[in-house]
Amino acid sequence: MAGSWLLKKDDIVMVMKGRERGKKGKVLAFYPDQDSITVEKLNLYKRHMKPSGQNKGGIVEKEGKIHYSNVLLVCDKCGKGVRVKSKKLEDGSRVRVCRKCGDAIDKI
Ligand SMILES: [Zn+2]
């Protein structure tokens, strides 16, 4: 989980700004020091790899970092990126709740 955005690895998020706007993808990694994440197959950039050892080199595509504030967690019911809040259940566990439809998205 990362900061107040309540995101975690493997979450499906929607990009709300920039050239990947409206696209969905799975959270791959967090970069807390830069308030950024990488999302599978989104914000790709091409990188030239130098040949080394077994690696023949060439161009590979890598996921570029996206700022937290540009993505929202996807609510299955709403079918798009939504703001979420954290809610404590009777058993003490916490769930993320969609601010739009009020559905629990999953346990944190
Ligand atoms: Zn919802």
Side-chain angles (χ1 to χ4, degrees):
M1 199 171 62
S4 55
W5 279 272
L6 299 171
L7 291 175
K8 56 192 173 80
K9 197 171 178 287
D10 295 336
D11 273 345
I12 303 298
V13 294
M14 182 181 267
V15 180
M16 308 309 286
K17 284 181 192 163
R19 68 182 170 103
E20 302 285 26
R21 185 178 164 163
K23 293 187 187 171
K24 295 178 195 172
K26 190 165 79 173
V27 176
L28 290 181
F30 291 97
Y31 302 89
D33 52 329
Q34 293 164 64
D35 291 335
S36 297
I37 58 172
T38 48
V39 181
E40 194 173 41
K41 303 277 182 230
L42 290 187
N43 205 26
L44 293 173
Y45 67 95
K46 289 188 169 64
R47 201 172 154 184
H48 296 264
M49 300 289 285
K50 284 181 186 164
S52 63
Q54 297 284 315
N55 183 355
K56 280 192 285 186
I59 298 170
V60 293
E61 289 200 312
K62 296 259 298 173
E63 279 90 0
K65 295 182 184 100
I66 302 175
H67 198 267
Y68 287 153
S69 63
N70 290 348
V71 301
L72 289 176
L73 185 65
V74 170
C75 168
D76 283 338
K77 196 170 172 183
C78 298
K80 59 179 186 173
V82 295
R83 297 198 181 278
V84 294
K85 58 186 177 184
S86 158
K87 184 179 160 191
K88 200 168 186 179
L89 299 179
E90 282 179 23
D91 67 2
S93 62
R94 287 185 165 272
V95 291
R96 292 177 296 180
V97 176
C98 171
R99 283 187 188 265
K100 208 171 176 70
C101 67
D103 259 27
I105 292 179
D106 66 357
K107 291 201 172 184
I108 294 170

XYZ file of all heavy atoms in Angstrom:
846
model
N 0.842 -1.198 0.000
C 0.000 0.000 0.000
C 0.875 1.245 0.000
O 1.918 1.253 0.603
C -0.881 -0.016 1.240
C -2.069 0.885 1.099
S -3.229 0.673 2.430
C -2.255 1.131 3.837
N 0.406 2.264 -0.659
C 1.243 3.446 -0.806
C 0.533 4.708 -0.385
O -0.451 5.102 -0.987
C 1.701 3.586 -2.245
N 1.005 5.311 0.634
C 0.518 6.619 1.059
C -0.981 6.663 1.220
O -1.626 5.682 1.565
N -1.539 7.819 0.950
C -2.959 7.993 1.156
C -3.763 7.564 -0.065
O -4.961 7.708 -0.098
C -3.251 9.444 1.495
O -2.728 10.261 0.476
N -3.084 7.062 -1.082
C -3.801 6.638 -2.275
C -4.363 5.230 -2.125
O -5.094 4.759 -2.965
C -2.918 6.736 -3.511
C -2.889 8.133 -3.987
C -3.762 8.706 -4.861
C -1.988 9.155 -3.608
N -3.449 10.013 -5.032
C -2.376 10.323 -4.297
C -0.887 9.202 -2.759
C -1.697 11.520 -4.139
C -0.221 10.389 -2.611
C -0.622 11.534 -3.292
N -3.980 4.551 -1.061
C -4.527 3.236 -0.777
C -4.357 2.251 -1.919
O -5.234 1.461 -2.203
C -6.018 3.335 -0.434
C -6.372 4.186 0.796
C -7.877 4.391 0.885
C -5.890 3.524 2.070
N -3.217 2.323 -2.560
C -2.956 1.392 -3.646
C -2.017 0.308 -3.179
O -1.226 0.496 -2.266
C -2.314 2.116 -4.830
C -3.193 3.093 -5.596
C -2.360 3.813 -6.644
C -4.359 2.379 -6.236
N -2.119 -0.853 -3.824
C -1.141 -1.893 -3.568
C -0.806 -2.605 -4.871
O -1.469 -2.402 -5.890
C -1.635 -2.861 -2.503
C -2.969 -3.519 -2.785
C -3.476 -4.213 -1.523
C -4.884 -4.751 -1.680
N -4.975 -6.019 -2.387
N 0.217 -3.426 -4.781
C 0.676 -4.140 -5.959
C -0.462 -5.006 -6.508
O -1.259 -5.538 -5.743
C 1.868 -5.019 -5.566
C 2.686 -5.487 -6.731
C 3.963 -6.159 -6.232
C 4.773 -6.672 -7.409
N 4.172 -7.854 -8.037
N -0.515 -5.129 -7.832
C -1.515 -5.931 -8.550
C -2.903 -5.287 -8.599
O -3.826 -5.868 -9.147
C -1.628 -7.352 -7.997
C -0.349 -8.150 -8.214
O 0.409 -7.811 -9.143
O -0.110 -9.103 -7.453
N -3.065 -4.113 -8.005
C -4.330 -3.394 -8.172
C -4.510 -3.024 -9.639
O -3.532 -2.783 -10.346
C -4.294 -2.069 -7.390
C -4.725 -2.232 -5.951
O -5.317 -3.276 -5.618
O -4.466 -1.310 -5.159
N -5.771 -2.932 -10.061
C -6.047 -2.405 -11.393
C -6.388 -0.922 -11.230
O -7.279 -0.557 -10.467
C -7.228 -3.144 -12.070
C -6.951 -4.647 -12.156
C -7.493 -2.561 -13.463
C -5.738 -5.034 -12.986
N -5.619 -0.110 -11.922
C -5.831 1.331 -11.833
C -6.146 1.905 -13.209
O -5.853 1.288 -14.235
C -4.597 2.063 -11.247
C -4.361 1.679 -9.798
C -3.352 1.811 -12.082
N -6.750 3.074 -13.204
C -7.005 3.788 -14.452
C -6.195 5.072 -14.432
O -6.148 5.762 -13.416
C -8.489 4.096 -14.606
C -8.818 4.802 -15.915
S -10.579 5.192 -16.095
C -11.150 3.742 -16.972
N -5.581 5.360 -15.570
C -4.808 6.591 -15.686
C -5.770 7.723 -16.015
O -6.589 7.609 -16.921
C -3.725 6.458 -16.786
C -2.918 7.750 -16.899
C -2.807 5.282 -16.484
N -5.691 8.813 -15.261
C -6.643 9.908 -15.408
C -6.063 11.111 -16.152
O -6.778 12.014 -16.533
C -7.130 10.371 -14.023
C -7.647 9.245 -13.135
S -8.893 8.166 -13.906
C -10.314 9.255 -13.894
N -4.756 11.131 -16.312
C -4.118 12.276 -16.963
C -3.008 11.793 -17.880
O -2.508 10.691 -17.709
C -3.484 13.197 -15.915
C -4.461 14.053 -15.155
C -3.688 14.928 -14.175
C -4.627 15.582 -13.179
N -3.891 16.096 -12.018
N -2.613 12.663 -18.788
C -1.461 12.371 -19.619
C -1.810 11.549 -20.847
O -2.987 11.332 -21.150
N -0.785 11.048 -21.528
C -1.038 10.413 -22.822
C -1.695 9.042 -22.689
O -2.227 8.513 -23.663
C 0.268 10.329 -23.633
C 1.318 9.393 -23.080
C 2.570 9.445 -23.964
N 3.675 8.746 -23.348
C 4.080 7.538 -23.722
N 3.485 6.901 -24.689
N 5.092 6.969 -23.106
N -1.668 8.434 -21.504
C -2.304 7.129 -21.311
C -3.685 7.265 -20.674
O -4.273 6.299 -20.214
C -1.428 6.236 -20.422
C -0.032 6.001 -20.950
C 0.002 5.026 -22.127
O -0.995 4.882 -22.850
O 1.047 4.383 -22.311
N -4.197 8.462 -20.660
C -5.484 8.752 -20.038
C -6.579 7.775 -20.475
O -6.746 7.517 -21.658
C -5.887 10.181 -20.406
C -7.127 10.649 -19.727
C -7.393 12.066 -20.116
N -8.766 12.391 -19.763
C -9.244 13.612 -19.657
N -8.453 14.625 -19.905
N -10.479 13.829 -19.335
N -7.328 7.259 -19.493
C -8.446 6.362 -19.793
C -8.061 4.909 -19.880
O -8.918 4.034 -19.959
N -6.771 4.615 -19.859
C -6.327 3.223 -19.949
C -6.204 2.601 -18.572
O -5.911 3.272 -17.590
C -4.992 3.143 -20.689
C -5.109 3.521 -22.136
C -3.792 3.262 -22.839
C -3.847 3.799 -24.269
N -2.528 3.758 -24.895
N -6.419 1.275 -18.546
C -6.321 0.552 -17.278
C -5.139 -0.398 -17.302
O -4.777 -0.921 -18.349
C -7.585 -0.279 -17.053
C -8.839 0.523 -16.869
C -10.014 -0.431 -16.716
C -11.331 0.300 -16.883
N -12.470 -0.623 -16.921
N -4.592 -0.643 -16.132
C -3.501 -1.595 -16.048
C -3.249 -1.998 -14.608
O -3.835 -1.441 -13.676
N -2.370 -2.980 -14.486
C -2.055 -3.549 -13.173
C -0.826 -2.876 -12.581
O 0.177 -2.693 -13.277
C -1.802 -5.053 -13.356
C -1.709 -5.819 -12.067
C -1.834 -7.310 -12.321
C -0.526 -7.894 -12.836
N -0.587 -9.367 -12.927
N -0.908 -2.529 -11.308
C 0.227 -1.894 -10.641
C 1.376 -2.888 -10.509
O 1.200 -3.990 -9.990
C -0.173 -1.378 -9.234
C 1.038 -0.798 -8.507
C -1.272 -0.329 -9.343
N 2.528 -2.478 -11.015
C 3.699 -3.360 -10.969
C 4.603 -3.072 -9.776
O 5.059 -3.963 -9.095
C 4.536 -3.197 -12.244
C 3.983 -3.726 -13.559
C 5.004 -3.463 -14.661
C 3.674 -5.202 -13.472
N 4.894 -1.800 -9.564
C 5.863 -1.443 -8.529
C 5.624 -0.030 -8.025
O 5.016 0.790 -8.707
C 7.280 -1.552 -9.088
N 6.125 0.215 -6.826
C 6.001 1.530 -6.194
C 7.358 2.197 -6.071
O 8.356 1.531 -5.812
C 5.424 1.375 -4.783
C 3.987 0.939 -4.786
C 3.657 -0.389 -4.635
C 2.981 1.871 -4.956
C 2.325 -0.798 -4.656
C 1.660 1.479 -4.979
C 1.326 0.142 -4.830
N 7.353 3.502 -6.254
C 8.559 4.308 -6.054
C 8.193 5.433 -5.094
O 7.980 6.570 -5.521
C 9.068 4.842 -7.400
C 9.369 3.729 -8.368
C 8.386 3.237 -9.214
C 10.617 3.118 -8.358
C 8.645 2.169 -10.067
C 10.892 2.052 -9.206
C 9.901 1.592 -10.052
O 10.150 0.534 -10.879
N 8.092 5.106 -3.799
C 7.581 6.071 -2.811
C 8.382 7.367 -2.756
O 7.819 8.436 -2.528
C 7.701 5.325 -1.483
C 7.857 3.893 -1.843
C 8.502 3.855 -3.198
N 9.675 7.284 -3.001
C 10.490 8.489 -2.934
C 10.157 9.466 -4.060
O 10.482 10.649 -3.980
C 11.983 8.133 -2.931
C 12.363 7.207 -4.071
O 11.517 6.386 -4.486
O 13.495 7.304 -4.558
N 9.511 8.957 -5.109
C 9.123 9.839 -6.220
C 7.605 9.939 -6.347
O 7.095 10.444 -7.348
C 9.704 9.309 -7.533
C 11.221 9.400 -7.581
C 11.807 8.544 -8.690
O 11.566 8.782 -9.861
N 12.552 7.530 -8.327
N 6.897 9.407 -5.352
C 5.427 9.394 -5.380
C 4.901 8.810 -6.687
O 3.923 9.305 -7.246
C 4.853 10.807 -5.184
C 5.082 11.313 -3.767
O 5.218 10.472 -2.865
O 5.138 12.528 -3.571
N 5.554 7.775 -7.163
C 5.204 7.233 -8.470
C 5.048 5.722 -8.434
O 5.513 5.050 -7.508
C 6.294 7.579 -9.492
O 6.385 8.971 -9.639
N 4.376 5.223 -9.470
C 4.224 3.781 -9.642
C 4.521 3.438 -11.095
O 4.568 4.319 -11.955
C 2.788 3.311 -9.314
C 1.761 4.029 -10.207
C 2.458 3.552 -7.843
C 0.360 3.483 -10.074
N 4.686 2.158 -11.364
C 4.676 1.712 -12.750
C 3.458 0.813 -12.927
O 3.066 0.087 -12.014
C 5.956 0.944 -13.145
O 6.244 -0.046 -12.158
C 7.133 1.873 -13.275
N 2.853 0.918 -14.102
C 1.649 0.153 -14.420
C 1.942 -0.688 -15.658
O 2.493 -0.180 -16.648
C 0.451 1.095 -14.687
C -0.806 0.291 -14.993
C 0.218 2.011 -13.493
N 1.566 -1.968 -15.573
C 1.866 -2.906 -16.645
C 1.418 -2.386 -18.008
O 0.265 -2.016 -18.180
C 1.157 -4.239 -16.342
C 1.638 -5.385 -17.186
C 1.027 -6.706 -16.742
O -0.180 -6.737 -16.418
O 1.752 -7.694 -16.691
N 2.338 -2.367 -18.950
C 2.097 -2.000 -20.357
C 1.645 -0.551 -20.575
O 1.204 -0.204 -21.666
C 1.042 -2.934 -20.997
C 1.383 -4.398 -20.944
C 2.308 -4.794 -22.079
C 2.602 -6.288 -22.055
N 4.048 -6.554 -22.144
N 1.780 0.271 -19.564
C 1.388 1.672 -19.743
C 2.588 2.596 -19.590
O 3.517 2.297 -18.856
C 0.312 2.074 -18.729
C -1.071 1.457 -18.940
C -2.068 2.070 -17.975
C -1.562 1.614 -20.360
N 2.494 3.724 -20.307
C 3.559 4.716 -20.278
C 4.899 4.105 -20.691
O 5.940 4.384 -20.107
C 3.655 5.342 -18.883
C 4.265 6.728 -18.936
O 4.185 7.408 -19.954
N 4.890 7.130 -17.860
N 4.836 3.258 -21.714
C 6.049 2.566 -22.160
C 7.024 3.515 -22.836
O 6.613 4.457 -23.501
C 5.682 1.452 -23.157
C 4.897 0.282 -22.587
C 4.455 -0.644 -23.719
C 5.716 -0.501 -21.576
N 8.269 3.257 -22.622
C 9.282 3.986 -23.391
C 10.285 2.980 -23.903
O 10.443 1.897 -23.351
C 9.947 5.067 -22.538
C 10.791 4.562 -21.396
C 12.171 4.393 -21.557
C 10.217 4.264 -20.163
C 12.956 3.948 -20.515
C 10.993 3.806 -19.114
C 12.371 3.640 -19.298
O 13.134 3.189 -18.264
N 10.931 3.336 -24.984
C 11.898 2.430 -25.607
C 13.286 2.715 -25.058
O 13.684 3.849 -24.900
C 11.881 2.600 -27.122
C 10.626 2.053 -27.751
C 10.745 2.055 -29.263
C 9.619 1.280 -29.921
N 8.295 1.860 -29.698
N 13.959 1.644 -24.778
C 15.283 1.786 -24.207
C 16.263 0.947 -25.017
O 15.981 -0.211 -25.335
C 15.223 1.276 -22.767
C 16.329 1.797 -21.926
C 16.115 1.431 -20.492
N 17.413 1.390 -19.845
C 17.626 1.024 -18.608
N 16.618 0.636 -17.866
N 18.827 1.018 -18.093
N 17.355 1.546 -25.341
C 18.376 0.820 -26.086
C 19.278 0.078 -25.112
O 19.835 0.675 -24.202
C 19.215 1.775 -26.949
C 18.406 2.448 -28.005
N 18.332 1.976 -29.285
C 17.600 3.522 -27.953
C 17.507 2.750 -29.981
N 17.055 3.703 -29.188
N 19.376 -1.232 -25.322
C 20.213 -2.038 -24.440
C 21.512 -2.350 -25.175
O 21.512 -2.757 -26.333
C 19.503 -3.352 -24.094
C 18.175 -3.163 -23.383
S 18.333 -2.561 -21.691
C 18.892 -4.068 -20.880
N 22.577 -2.170 -24.454
C 23.869 -2.536 -25.038
C 24.054 -4.041 -24.915
O 23.671 -4.629 -23.899
C 25.009 -1.842 -24.293
C 25.140 -0.389 -24.646
C 26.293 0.234 -23.888
C 26.312 1.737 -24.136
N 27.141 2.423 -23.163
N 24.638 -4.646 -25.940
C 24.890 -6.091 -25.837
C 25.845 -6.371 -24.690
O 26.826 -5.658 -24.508
C 25.546 -6.436 -27.178
C 25.328 -5.267 -28.057
C 25.155 -4.074 -27.175
N 25.511 -7.397 -23.904
C 26.440 -7.803 -22.845
C 26.219 -9.275 -22.546
O 25.102 -9.700 -22.290
C 26.231 -6.963 -21.585
O 24.948 -7.175 -21.070
N 27.247 -10.047 -22.628
C 27.157 -11.470 -22.341
C 26.146 -12.165 -23.240
O 26.233 -12.090 -24.455
N 25.134 -12.801 -22.623
C 24.113 -13.541 -23.368
C 23.158 -12.578 -24.076
O 22.542 -12.921 -25.063
C 23.290 -14.401 -22.392
C 24.103 -15.475 -21.680
C 24.418 -16.651 -22.589
O 23.558 -17.138 -23.297
N 25.663 -17.099 -22.563
N 23.031 -11.394 -23.535
C 22.099 -10.399 -24.054
C 22.618 -9.802 -25.358
O 23.698 -9.237 -25.403
C 21.932 -9.317 -22.975
C 20.916 -8.274 -23.397
O 20.413 -8.308 -24.516
N 20.634 -7.355 -22.506
N 21.800 -9.940 -26.427
C 22.238 -9.447 -27.723
C 22.044 -7.942 -27.885
O 22.463 -7.347 -28.863
C 21.478 -10.174 -28.845
C 22.053 -11.562 -29.140
C 21.483 -12.124 -30.419
C 20.053 -12.591 -30.206
N 19.479 -13.286 -31.366
N 21.337 -7.338 -26.926
C 21.090 -5.908 -27.023
C 19.904 -5.607 -27.913
O 19.163 -6.496 -28.297
N 19.714 -4.343 -28.226
C 18.590 -3.942 -29.051
C 17.676 -3.024 -28.276
O 18.077 -2.431 -27.279
N 16.425 -2.932 -28.746
C 15.485 -2.012 -28.113
C 14.477 -2.804 -27.280
O 13.874 -3.746 -27.759
C 14.750 -1.174 -29.180
C 15.769 -0.326 -29.949
C 13.681 -0.294 -28.542
C 15.208 0.349 -31.175
N 14.336 -2.429 -26.032
C 13.314 -3.052 -25.191
C 12.355 -1.965 -24.718
O 12.725 -0.803 -24.598
C 13.916 -3.789 -23.965
C 14.716 -4.984 -24.400
C 14.745 -2.843 -23.120
N 11.130 -2.386 -24.460
C 10.155 -1.429 -23.937
C 10.050 -1.593 -22.436
O 9.969 -2.704 -21.925
C 8.791 -1.652 -24.605
C 8.785 -1.216 -26.049
C 7.387 -0.969 -26.569
O 6.530 -1.832 -26.359
O 7.166 0.085 -27.184
N 10.078 -0.464 -21.749
C 10.000 -0.482 -20.290
C 8.852 0.411 -19.836
O 8.525 1.387 -20.501
C 11.297 0.092 -19.692
C 12.522 -0.736 -19.995
C 12.956 -1.609 -18.849
C 13.338 -0.830 -17.607
N 13.590 -1.742 -16.461
N 8.276 0.050 -18.693
C 7.219 0.885 -18.139
C 7.828 2.113 -17.476
O 8.689 1.984 -16.611
C 6.414 0.106 -17.089
C 5.359 -0.813 -17.688
C 5.875 -2.215 -17.969
O 7.064 -2.479 -17.704
O 5.084 -3.047 -18.450
N 7.361 3.288 -17.873
C 7.807 4.528 -17.247
C 6.966 4.825 -16.022
O 5.827 4.356 -15.910
N 7.529 5.594 -15.131
C 6.815 5.908 -13.884
C 5.654 6.867 -14.139
O 5.719 7.727 -15.006
C 7.781 6.526 -12.869
C 8.847 5.551 -12.436
C 9.765 6.179 -11.404
C 10.881 5.221 -11.054
N 12.128 5.540 -11.754
N 4.591 6.656 -13.363
C 3.412 7.520 -13.412
C 3.171 8.034 -12.000
O 3.228 7.264 -11.039
C 2.168 6.732 -13.899
C 2.416 6.122 -15.285
C 0.925 7.632 -13.915
C 1.276 5.231 -15.783
N 2.927 9.336 -11.886
C 2.692 9.898 -10.554
C 1.379 9.377 -9.968
O 0.395 9.205 -10.680
C 2.645 11.426 -10.645
C 2.837 12.100 -9.330
N 1.774 12.452 -8.543
C 3.960 12.430 -8.651
C 2.250 13.008 -7.434
N 3.567 13.004 -7.466
N 1.409 9.099 -8.656
C 0.211 8.595 -7.962
C -1.043 9.393 -8.277
O -2.133 8.850 -8.393
C 0.368 8.743 -6.437
C 1.307 7.802 -5.761
C 1.929 8.179 -4.573
C 1.546 6.525 -6.256
C 2.780 7.334 -3.902
C 2.400 5.664 -5.588
C 3.023 6.074 -4.416
O 3.850 5.245 -3.750
N -0.860 10.712 -8.324
C -2.027 11.581 -8.450
C -2.674 11.463 -9.825
O -3.753 11.989 -10.041
C -1.643 13.030 -8.159
O -0.717 13.472 -9.124
N -2.004 10.770 -10.751
C -2.566 10.628 -12.095
C -3.328 9.326 -12.284
O -3.821 9.054 -13.380
C -1.451 10.705 -13.144
C -0.882 12.097 -13.253
O -1.443 13.055 -12.720
N 0.236 12.230 -13.921
N -3.411 8.499 -11.249
C -4.136 7.228 -11.380
C -5.174 7.100 -10.270
O -5.045 7.696 -9.207
C -3.190 5.996 -11.318
C -2.146 6.051 -12.409
C -2.541 5.844 -9.953
N -6.211 6.323 -10.570
C -7.220 6.014 -9.568
C -7.483 4.512 -9.598
O -7.418 3.877 -10.657
C -8.528 6.756 -9.853
C -8.552 8.274 -9.638
C -9.904 8.825 -10.079
C -8.287 8.629 -8.185
N -7.801 3.963 -8.444
C -8.156 2.556 -8.353
C -9.453 2.315 -9.119
O -10.370 3.117 -9.065
C -8.335 2.194 -6.871
C -8.601 0.726 -6.545
C -7.415 -0.153 -6.909
C -8.915 0.585 -5.058
N -9.513 1.169 -9.831
C -10.718 0.867 -10.604
C -11.724 0.103 -9.738
O -11.387 -0.884 -9.093
C -10.364 0.031 -11.864
C -11.632 -0.503 -12.534
C -9.578 0.882 -12.851
N -12.958 0.598 -9.734
C -14.056 -0.084 -9.059
C -14.760 -0.936 -10.113
O -15.171 -0.419 -11.147
C -15.014 0.942 -8.465
S -16.574 0.241 -7.916
N -14.892 -2.237 -9.858
C -15.525 -3.134 -10.834
C -16.957 -2.713 -11.125
O -17.429 -2.784 -12.249
C -15.525 -4.578 -10.321
C -14.150 -5.210 -10.474
O -13.362 -4.719 -11.307
O -13.869 -6.185 -9.761
N -17.653 -2.301 -10.098
C -19.058 -1.937 -10.258
C -19.216 -0.675 -11.111
O -20.047 -0.619 -11.998
C -19.686 -1.739 -8.886
C -21.198 -1.743 -8.906
C -21.730 -1.788 -7.491
C -23.244 -1.601 -7.489
N -23.769 -1.581 -6.113
N -18.387 0.331 -10.823
C -18.454 1.576 -11.583
C -17.770 1.433 -12.937
O -18.055 2.192 -13.852
C -17.812 2.714 -10.801
S -18.645 3.074 -9.246
N -16.860 0.484 -13.045
C -16.175 0.240 -14.311
C -15.149 1.289 -14.674
O -14.740 1.403 -15.822
N -14.735 2.087 -13.696
C -13.723 3.099 -13.990
C -12.966 3.477 -12.721
O -13.276 2.976 -11.640
C -14.379 4.329 -14.608
C -15.427 4.959 -13.721
C -16.006 6.192 -14.386
C -16.952 6.908 -13.442
N -17.405 8.176 -13.996
N -12.002 4.373 -12.902
C -11.208 4.815 -11.769
C -12.044 5.643 -10.811
O -12.773 6.521 -11.238
N -11.938 5.348 -9.531
C -12.729 6.069 -8.521
C -11.843 6.431 -7.334
O -10.796 5.831 -7.127
C -13.909 5.203 -8.001
C -14.911 4.933 -9.107
C -13.416 3.911 -7.372
N -12.317 7.382 -6.566
C -11.640 7.681 -5.305
C -12.142 6.687 -4.276
O -13.303 6.293 -4.298
C -11.928 9.110 -4.866
C -11.395 10.108 -5.852
C -11.259 11.497 -5.322
N -10.748 12.353 -6.377
C -9.461 12.457 -6.691
N -8.555 11.792 -6.000
N -9.066 13.224 -7.670
N -11.260 6.281 -3.408
C -11.645 5.298 -2.392
C -11.357 5.841 -1.004
O -10.554 6.753 -0.824
C -10.888 3.953 -2.573
C -11.299 3.280 -3.861
C -9.385 4.136 -2.513
N -12.049 5.266 -0.039
C -11.739 5.572 1.348
C -11.552 4.249 2.072
O -12.002 3.204 1.609
C -12.847 6.416 1.972
C -14.213 5.752 1.934
C -15.280 6.699 2.432
C -16.656 6.030 2.302
N -17.738 6.923 2.689
N -10.914 4.334 3.193
C -10.661 3.140 3.974
C -11.721 3.042 5.063
O -12.086 4.030 5.694
C -9.260 3.277 4.566
O -9.120 2.476 5.677
N -12.255 1.844 5.241
C -13.306 1.659 6.233
C -12.954 0.476 7.121
O -12.510 -0.559 6.633
C -14.625 1.391 5.496
C -15.838 1.271 6.387
C -17.061 1.040 5.517
C -18.195 0.444 6.311
N -19.279 -0.032 5.425
N -13.160 0.646 8.404
C -12.829 -0.422 9.345
C -14.059 -1.307 9.560
O -15.159 -0.814 9.795
C -12.385 0.192 10.680
C -11.595 -0.769 11.531
C -10.941 -0.021 12.692
C -10.024 -0.944 13.467
N -9.361 -0.257 14.581
N -13.839 -2.612 9.486
C -14.933 -3.557 9.687
C -15.008 -3.973 11.152
O -14.091 -3.717 11.934
C -14.730 -4.802 8.814
C -14.701 -4.554 7.304
C -14.476 -5.870 6.576
C -15.996 -3.906 6.826
N -16.119 -4.660 11.505
C -16.301 -5.090 12.892
C -15.185 -5.996 13.379
O -14.838 -5.992 14.547
C -17.654 -5.801 13.040
C -18.795 -4.794 13.107
C -20.143 -5.481 13.218
O -20.177 -6.634 13.670
O -21.145 -4.847 12.842
N -14.631 -6.793 12.460
C -13.558 -7.708 12.885
C -12.199 -7.013 12.939
O -11.177 -7.650 13.182
C -13.511 -8.948 11.981
C -13.092 -8.610 10.556
O -12.796 -7.429 10.269
O -13.059 -9.534 9.729
N -12.187 -5.711 12.717
C -10.933 -4.965 12.839
C -10.170 -4.832 11.538
O -9.241 -4.036 11.453
N -10.551 -5.599 10.520
C -9.846 -5.475 9.246
C -10.361 -4.235 8.503
O -11.415 -3.694 8.838
C -10.042 -6.726 8.400
O -11.409 -6.896 8.093
N -9.588 -3.818 7.530
C -9.976 -2.632 6.781
C -10.281 -2.991 5.339
O -9.632 -3.862 4.760
C -8.846 -1.593 6.815
C -8.727 -0.932 8.159
C -7.695 0.177 8.132
N -7.851 1.010 9.308
C -8.676 2.054 9.365
N -9.375 2.398 8.314
N -8.792 2.748 10.474
N -11.242 -2.320 4.765
C -11.534 -2.500 3.346
C -11.473 -1.149 2.670
O -11.629 -0.113 3.308
C -12.934 -3.118 3.085
C -12.985 -4.561 3.544
C -14.014 -2.284 3.729
N -11.248 -1.187 1.364
C -11.298 0.039 0.577
C -12.703 0.135 -0.009
O -13.200 -0.824 -0.585
C -10.249 0.003 -0.528
C -8.845 0.064 0.053
C -7.803 -0.035 -1.010
N -7.865 -1.328 -1.682
C -7.047 -1.682 -2.670
N -6.149 -0.859 -3.092
N -7.147 -2.859 -3.222
N -13.292 1.282 0.175
C -14.670 1.477 -0.274
C -14.696 2.532 -1.367
O -14.065 3.583 -1.243
C -15.551 1.907 0.919
C -16.969 2.219 0.457
C -15.566 0.832 1.992
N -15.436 2.228 -2.429
C -15.611 3.177 -3.531
C -16.427 4.361 -3.038
O -17.496 4.197 -2.472
C -16.327 2.466 -4.679
S -16.832 3.570 -5.994
N -15.917 5.573 -3.265
C -16.637 6.769 -2.808
C -17.861 7.049 -3.678
O -18.717 7.843 -3.314
C -15.719 7.991 -2.859
C -14.730 8.052 -1.709
C -13.992 9.381 -1.751
N -12.903 9.416 -0.792
C -12.997 9.917 0.420
N -14.131 10.402 0.845
N -11.951 9.915 1.228
N -17.915 6.426 -4.836
C -19.013 6.688 -5.753
C -20.215 5.783 -5.464
O -21.317 6.266 -5.259
C -18.514 6.473 -7.185
C -19.246 7.293 -8.219
C -18.534 7.165 -9.562
C -19.283 7.890 -10.659
N -19.218 9.355 -10.488
N -19.982 4.451 -5.452
C -21.107 3.531 -5.290
C -21.167 2.947 -3.872
O -22.150 2.299 -3.516
C -21.047 2.410 -6.322
S -19.665 1.286 -6.094
N -20.123 3.147 -3.095
C -20.136 2.662 -1.718
C -19.790 1.206 -1.558
O -19.810 0.673 -0.446
N -19.495 0.523 -2.650
C -19.118 -0.885 -2.571
C -17.708 -1.063 -2.039
O -16.824 -0.273 -2.353
C -19.178 -1.513 -3.981
C -20.436 -2.318 -4.184
O -21.450 -1.989 -3.521
O -20.403 -3.252 -4.999
N -17.528 -2.119 -1.272
C -16.182 -2.458 -0.828
C -15.425 -2.993 -2.030
O -15.947 -3.802 -2.806
C -16.241 -3.505 0.263
N -14.201 -2.543 -2.215
C -13.425 -3.011 -3.362
C -12.658 -4.282 -2.989
O -12.703 -5.265 -3.696
C -12.517 -1.892 -3.912
C -13.433 -0.816 -4.532
C -11.548 -2.436 -4.960
C -12.743 0.380 -5.102
N -12.006 -4.278 -1.877
C -11.438 -5.497 -1.317
C -10.783 -5.193 -0.002
O -10.773 -4.044 0.450
C -10.436 -6.163 -2.271
C -9.199 -5.302 -2.470
O -9.138 -4.183 -1.930
O -8.290 -5.751 -3.170
N -10.249 -6.220 0.630
C -9.555 -5.996 1.887
C -8.177 -5.418 1.613
O -7.556 -5.728 0.622
C -9.420 -7.312 2.652
C -10.762 -7.796 3.141
C -10.589 -8.763 4.287
C -11.957 -9.085 4.885
N -11.851 -9.943 6.056
N -7.725 -4.558 2.484
C -6.401 -3.964 2.326
C -5.364 -4.966 2.824
O -5.524 -5.509 3.892
C -6.288 -2.637 3.112
C -7.227 -1.599 2.505
C -4.858 -2.125 3.106
C -7.375 -0.345 3.327
Zn -17.912 1.995 -7.385
